[in-house]
Amino acid sequence: MELTAIVKAAFEKAFPEGDFSGVRVVPATDPKFGDYQCNDALKCAKQFKMNPRQAAQKVVENLDTACFEKVEIAGPGFLNLTVSPAWLNGQLATLSAQPKCGIPQSGAGKKIVIDYSSPNAAKQMHIGHIRSTVIGNAIDRIFRALGYDVIADNHLGDWGTQFGILIKGYRELLSQEERDNLSVPYLEKCYVLSAAKAKEEDGVWKEACKQELVKLQQGDPENLALWKKFIDISINEFNRMYDKLGVKFDTYRGESYYNDTMPGIVARLQEMGLAVESEGAQVVNLEEEKLGVAIVRKSDGGYNYTTSDLACVEMRVKEYDPERIIYVTDARQQLHFKQWFNIAGKMGVTAKLVHVPFGLMSFQGKAISTREGNLIKLDELLAEAQRRSFEIVKDRGGDETLAAQIGIGAVKYTDLSHDPITDIDFSWDKALALEGNSGPYLQYAYARVCSLLEKVEGVNVDELKAFDVVTPQEKRLALQLLEFPGAVVRAAEAYKPSVLADYLFQTAQLYSSFYQNSPILKSEETVRNARLKLCSLFGEVLKTGLNLLGIETPRHI
């Protein structure tokens, strides 16, 4: 930010021997303290053992004040900064002219992998999958906007014991019609029936399922063909859901992709002295790190998620050489990620590994679970969102396309407006509210701007003269708009789309206050045009920000 650079330069001139890399200028907490504040004179005074106000005064004496209307020293050495109208108008013009509303390209030349969604094959996606999918996709979009080369990978659950159960059930428990018209719901039905029979006391069915799994693992052509058929059907169904959500992946690499490399991972861990035998299994002892014991090969010779993830990260590093790899999964897996991140580091992985944990979702006050009978299918959730949205927009001439944009946007924003780690209780009333912190509220704010600009006949806002901020409401909105690039950066640094969602909601509220207190179309031409410029910039910032959250911005609601 330009102001931070200016104030930092003043610190360096005043105290040439100091380290001021941490100096920050931030928006004032209250307009009575000016537009911006800097509290670093207190740290500086401590460093040089002097009075904080004297340190602040020395900084002010070395400050380039060209962009400031007023600079005050408050309290024990706070710098309160009020910018000049010329500087503010110039910054708005610069922001308006920049691509992507000024989002810095700090990721240029850097590559990252983001691992998210990761449903299990042969099962329908349900409401529990929404969090990893929409949080991961928002992080994906934010990092792309910052210039990063992003590889979005969907690490499918496509291998393991369940496929022996499925293959046995497919052959003997589904009708010929169901096999001929195989779908994910039929596969799910097949698994439920077969798994139930596997629990029978004589154990015959369970043993037969194991044999089918062994044949699959050994490369039996018929079982491999069935397995591939199940995976293809699953991916087609997943893609249908992703199309509705506006989510795209660069690669679909499930657990099966890394099967052949897992024995080598365990062998290397043994050679390094990290993996040792314990009750027939191979384990890595992480007690010193207070992370318990991680199994890397089970006593029956099988591998688990720790081994699979280690094989996966090594292949990603070899293929992409990423600066970092981000994993978006629920918070209950935190120990697992801490364990294998630790092991990966010991194996020489230098890429930054980041786990973005998220909390659980309940539905209208009830826990989501199969046992409770409310494991809502994602398809049903999105259809209900569209149905309810259509009831809202139909009287305004809205169609099903608009209803889908609003309904799906509402579902996404309900999630993204929360800190990922928090638990969420999904409520239709809150999600679809046209007032308050909701997706439809922000979409409506954008549509209202579009409607306003369309009412001005014969005026091309892009060709209007410079910005001219005058009133307090205009200034508060203008200063907030300048914070957009920083909000995107903070959301990326924290891996929290909620930071951006909070910014957009606050900005929309400031716009509403400005709109209510500042006549636009009835103002004289010069004032009208300046306010139209501000409205247009707000619309662009809101549209850009919502797009980063994966939320569409219809021009009319």
Side-chain angles (χ1 to χ4, degrees), residues 53 66 73 146 161 180 279 498:
R53 287 185 67 90
I73 300 173
L146 288 164
T161 305
D180 291 342
E279 298 180 6
S498 57

Side-chain angles (χ1 to χ4, degrees), residues 316-344:
R316 284 170 172 168
V317 168
K318 184 182 295 185
E319 183 173 356
Y320 303 121
D321 189 25
E323 181 249 354
R324 76 185 88 177
I325 306 175
I326 303 167
Y327 299 83
V328 185
T329 73
D330 82 60
R332 291 171 296 184
Q333 299 182 44
Q334 288 186 83
L335 176 59
H336 164 71
F337 279 92
K338 287 177 182 177
Q339 286 181 332
W340 82 258
F341 281 5
N342 184 286
I343 298 170

Side-chain angles (χ1 to χ4, degrees), residues 159 167 171 210-228 259-260:
W159 199 251
I167 291 171
R171 289 192 172 122
K210 283 185 179 181
Q211 291 305 312
E212 296 292 357
L213 177 63
V214 170
K215 287 167 64 179
L216 174 63
Q217 292 171 336
Q218 291 177 346
D220 176 78
E222 289 187 9
N223 280 15
L224 271 176
L226 277 180
W227 170 80
K228 188 175 187 310
N259 274 343
D260 294 342

Side-chain angles (χ1 to χ4, degrees), residues 386-387 389-407 554 556-557:
Q386 184 170 340
R387 186 193 70 76
S389 297
F390 185 69
E391 290 300 313
I392 295 173
V393 303
K394 67 179 181 180
D395 293 337
R396 307 182 186 193
D399 57 14
E400 292 289 351
T401 299
L402 177 60
Q405 291 174 322
I406 293 175
H556 302 96
I557 294 180

Side-chain angles (χ1 to χ4, degrees), residues 342-356:
N342 184 286
I343 298 170
K346 292 175 179 177
M347 294 180 73
V349 173
T350 56
K352 183 177 182 181
L353 304 179
V354 180
H355 181 216
V356 180

Side-chain angles (χ1 to χ4, degrees), residues 164 168 172 203-213 215:
K168 178 68 174 173
E172 300 189 31
V204 174
W205 188 271
K206 183 176 181 179
E207 184 58 34
C209 291
K210 283 185 179 181
Q211 291 305 312
E212 296 292 357
L213 177 63
K215 287 167 64 179

